[in-house]
Amino acid sequence: MQQFGVIGLSVMGKNLALNVRNHGFSVSGYSIDRSEIDAFAKYKDDKLKPTYSWKEFVDSLEKPRKILIQIMAGKPVDETLQKLLPLLDKGDILIDGGNSNFHDTNRRYHEMEKHGIHFIGMGVSGGEEGALHGPALMPGGDEDAYNEVAPILKAIAAKTPDGRPCVSYIGPEGSGHYVKMVHNGIEYAIMQEFAEIYDILRKVAGKTDDEMSDIFANWDVHLVHSYLTEITSKVLKKKDTLTPDHVIDHILNVASYKGTGNWMLEDGVSLGAPISVVAEAVIARFMSKATTREGKSVVWNGEVPADLVDNLEKSLQLAQAVSYAQGFQQLGMAADAYNWNLRYTAIAQNWEAGCIIRSSMLKDIENAYMDGGKFKKLKNLFQDPYFKDLLNKNIHSLRAIIKISTDAGIPTPTLSASLNYLESIFNPTLPANLIQGQRDYFGAHTYHRNDRVGVCHTEWYEEK
């Protein structure tokens, strides 16, 4: 009998199954696509078993059965659950490892609970390479069920630089998929920040692809050590096989998206979370598809400041911190709204390796939520001394970059949003009082005063 089962044997499912096998656990695999099973069967040995029917698959697993569903999110997951239910026993464990909407996971969690089936919604990050060699895993749902499968998940997960597995219990219901959704929103934001920095380097600093590649490689061992810094350097360095140019110069500047960034934005709006950088990153992808492309490219003829590259590095570091801060701020608001006891230090640890947004800064975030070995609650990441100091050291560089970009006519939606966020969150005299005055004037919406308690309304005009 096999210890673990995987449904869905395309690249991600197959690689996760092989990862399980490579760590000494026996695994069965099944897919409704016969060709995927046949491809999986090429790896068959005493610890890896291809199966060709729902029943054969379920019957091949030891009890309580531990099954990972790694298929397209949405209706296919519900159809799979309905196929499995008649074949399962109470106490079996189902794990949805796709990019499911957390609302769907909440529903499925409670539906499976009625049948005595444990359900885990688990975010998986790291792509096909991570799936095989060590992904970041974000499991939420039934904690007892998580503890049952934890030995396998900890074995296959990526490991932090100090050897800890990038997986831990997130919280109840769909919280695991919620955290993955926020991960993806942060990913949108940081990738757009890199794109804007790249745009300034090429248009204002006049750097070549190879020069920019070297700059990012240098930053990767200094202030902005991250997976995205590393691959940005590699993307810029790659030569084209069809032309004498670099590949980057022949990639159409239209950014695609699958929707998880939109989901974060939608729920952030419903919660009232100030995720302005994520919002601008999502809209920037929309903009890349909507632009008419009839204008002229920027040609900068002004002076290039001697400290431009240094300021760009500091701006990228600070903007990246804002992206993380907005993500964790939304997680905190979601935890309050949905009654989830989220473990922020564990979330930061889960992202320290294996996932797309992994960076050395996540260790600083993990430390920010700890005080003498105990959890410390932060409303905003920049309340922590490390991030407060980072803000004070780098904000002047970010202001300088926004200024020169504006002068050059280069759009910087996420860098500008990062600056505006930082200029706003610690500002006690924002002009929202005028908005409340206007609302009370035209709609009698009332307001609160700053010199006394209670709800107030002013008769702004006299009837004639």
Side-chain angles (χ1 to χ4, degrees):
M1 303 292 281
Q2 309 295 94
Q3 296 166 287
F4 197 73
V6 177
I7 295 175
L9 299 174
S10 61
V11 174
M12 284 295 290
K14 180 190 73 176
N15 282 359
L16 284 166
L18 291 173
N19 192 348
V20 171
R21 188 275 309 271
N22 293 344
H23 282 87
F25 299 94
S26 57
V27 58
S28 291
Y30 175 69
S31 172
I32 59 172
D33 185 336
R34 175 66 182 249
S35 64
E36 288 185 359
I37 306 174
D38 291 339
F40 183 69
K42 295 176 183 178
Y43 301 92
K44 183 178 179 180
D45 60 20
D46 61 336
K47 287 190 175 297
L48 190 141
K49 179 181 177 62
T51 60
Y52 289 86
S53 72
W54 292 100
K55 188 174 188 309
E56 182 190 4
F57 170 75
V58 172
D59 289 346
S60 72
L61 300 174
E62 67 179 26
K63 299 180 182 180
R65 301 177 181 94
K66 305 171 187 69
I67 298 173
L68 172 65
I69 301 168
Q70 199 66 40
I71 62 175
M72 185 182 297
K75 188 177 178 182
V77 178
D78 290 316
E79 292 173 344
T80 297
L81 295 180
Q82 293 309 309
K83 289 283 188 181
L84 286 171
L85 268 177
L87 303 172
L88 298 178
D89 296 316
K90 288 184 178 181
D92 287 345
I93 300 167
L94 298 178
I95 307 168
D96 176 11
N99 266 334
S100 289
N101 188 298
F102 80 99
H103 291 295
D104 288 336
T105 306
N106 286 346
R107 169 177 55 80
R108 291 165 185 150
Y109 172 85
H110 292 292
E111 285 179 1
M112 292 300 104
E113 190 176 40
K114 293 175 185 176
H115 296 279
I117 305 298
H118 302 295
F119 193 77
I120 294 173
M122 184 173 72
V124 179
S125 179
E128 58 186 79
E129 182 180 351
L132 181 60
H133 299 294
L137 303 174
M138 295 150 256
D142 190 309
E143 187 167 12
D144 289 338
Y146 166 73
N147 291 333
E148 187 79 25
V149 297
I152 297 175
L153 299 184
K154 288 180 179 180
I156 69 171
K159 305 301 183 291
T160 65
D162 56 2
R164 294 173 297 165
C166 290
V167 58
S168 57
Y169 178 70
I170 297 295
E173 299 180 314
S175 58
H177 277 140
Y178 194 97
V179 168
K180 178 55 163 52
M181 175 189 76
V182 170
H183 166 286
N184 286 17
I186 294 171
E187 180 184 305
Y188 274 52
I190 296 177
M191 289 177 71
Q192 177 63 27
E193 290 162 3
F194 271 91
E196 292 167 25
I197 295 291
Y198 153 75
D199 210 19
I200 298 166
L201 279 170
R202 63 176 179 165
K203 291 178 180 175
V204 175
K207 300 296 184 182
T208 66
D209 292 332
D210 286 330
E211 288 172 332
M212 287 186 287
S213 174
D214 291 341
I215 287 169
F216 281 108
N218 182 56
W219 291 355
D220 190 34
V221 295
H222 289 101
L223 298 186
V224 199
H225 177 50
S226 72
Y227 173 72
L228 285 171
T229 312
E230 175 191 343
I231 69 166
T232 299
S233 175
K234 292 178 178 178
V235 167
L236 289 167
K237 183 72 76 175
K238 187 70 174 177
K239 295 285 287 186
D240 192 19
T241 57
L242 302 176
T243 71
D245 309 319
H246 289 73
V247 174
I248 188 69
D249 297 319
H250 291 283
I251 298 177
L252 187 67
N253 57 332
V254 174
S256 300
Y257 48 89
K258 292 185 177 180
T260 45
N262 306 30
W263 293 350
M264 179 179 174
L265 184 55
E266 289 166 6
D267 200 62
V269 169
S270 72
L271 294 172
I275 52 168
S276 53
V277 180
V278 177
E280 289 291 353
V282 171
I283 292 170
R285 295 201 184 188
F286 298 165
M287 194 73 74
S288 75
K289 292 179 179 289
T291 179
T292 60
R293 310 190 189 284
E294 295 174 354
K296 293 182 179 179
S297 181
V298 168
V299 177
W300 175 250
N301 295 315
E303 182 181 347
V304 179
D307 59 356
L308 178 66
V309 173
D310 181 58
N311 281 337
L312 284 168
E313 181 182 18
K314 291 176 180 176
S315 297
L316 182 56
Q317 183 191 30
L318 182 56
Q320 178 181 268
V322 172
S323 298
Y324 287 128
Q326 291 192 356
F328 276 89
Q329 189 167 7
Q330 179 162 333
L331 288 174
M333 296 175 75
D336 291 339
Y338 305 131
N339 196 29
W340 293 340
N341 182 25
L342 298 183
R343 305 170 189 187
Y344 306 105
T345 53
I347 293 168
Q349 177 190 324
N350 289 0
W351 291 348
E352 281 182 43
C355 73
I356 305 303
I357 63 171
R358 62 185 183 265
S359 77
S360 58
M361 189 178 287
L362 283 156
K363 184 63 178 177
D364 300 314
I365 295 173
E366 185 183 351
N367 292 337
Y369 282 100
M370 296 299 292
D371 184 12
K374 294 183 179 179
F375 170 72
K376 176 175 65 175
K377 188 165 186 178
L378 293 172
K379 185 175 182 181
N380 188 287
L381 200 57
F382 286 96
Q383 292 174 318
D384 173 72
Y386 172 85
F387 287 95
K388 194 175 294 184
D389 182 60
L390 181 67
L391 164 62
N392 293 332
K393 287 192 300 187
N394 289 15
I395 194 166
H396 302 294
S397 294
L398 183 55
R399 288 186 183 126
I401 292 304
I402 298 303
K403 183 179 185 305
I404 197 169
S405 301
T406 302
D407 291 343
I410 297 174
T412 54
T414 54
L415 295 178
S416 297
S418 297
L419 179 61
N420 288 333
Y421 177 80
L422 294 169
E423 303 283 25
S424 298
I425 56 171
F426 297 120
N427 185 343
T429 57
L430 292 174
N433 54 329
L434 177 59
I435 295 172
Q436 282 304 104
Q438 293 169 330
R439 294 180 75 246
D440 193 54
Y441 186 103
F442 66 69
H445 292 295
T446 73
Y447 57 89
H448 292 273
R449 295 179 63 95
N450 57 18
D451 57 355
R452 67 194 69 176
V453 298
V455 178
C456 302
H457 167 64
T458 293
E459 294 295 336
W460 298 95
Y461 54 91
E462 295 181 4
E463 295 185 10
K464 295 182 179 179

